Amino acid sequence: MSCALALVVGELAANAVCHGRVPGRDFGLRLVLDETAGLVRAEVADAAADKRPPLATPVVPPEGEAGRGLPLVYVPAERWGWEPREPVGKTVWAECALGGPGTVREGV
């Protein structure tokens, strides 16, 4: 789980720096442990409300140099998404199972 979480956090942070940067504003990172659900939630907030993650998997040509980042998030994550952030921006989040992908406890 630690490798999957590190990958997810690194990619979300890189996306915030590359695609969510607004001059004079930083991005925020928050990790939340939910032992009951067996999940760690990574949240990365940035100030660019108009630049939202795609809802569907983008088609990237083999020779393409960009567009592979979000699959690095949603493959190891149990779920991911984004939500508006007040007063400005958005928060992109992903939840990783403590035991690795696909090991969330029954009933959760």
Side-chain angles (χ1 to χ4, degrees):
M1 187 280 300
S2 63
C3 290
L5 184 60
L7 179 68
V8 166
V9 168
E11 186 56 37
L12 291 180
N15 283 348
V17 170
C18 292
H19 306 294
R21 187 172 179 280
V22 173
R25 304 264 181 159
D26 290 327
F27 74 91
L29 169 66
R30 183 174 114 153
L31 298 175
V32 180
L33 173 63
D34 184 343
E35 288 184 90
T36 304
L39 295 169
V40 176
R41 180 180 174 114
E43 300 176 349
V44 175
D46 65 49
D50 58 329
K51 294 183 180 177
R52 299 176 179 160
L55 297 176
T57 305
V59 176
V60 180
E63 67 279 358
E65 294 183 13
R68 292 176 177 82
L70 281 177
L72 293 174
V73 171
Y74 57 71
V75 167
E78 297 298 317
R79 339 180 251 255
W80 75 279
W82 71 274
E83 52 203 37
R85 185 182 87 166
E86 295 299 328
V88 64
K90 68 183 172 302
T91 299
V92 182
W93 56 268
E95 295 174 341
C96 294
L98 290 175
T103 60
V104 173
R105 296 180 189 144
E106 291 296 319
V108 176

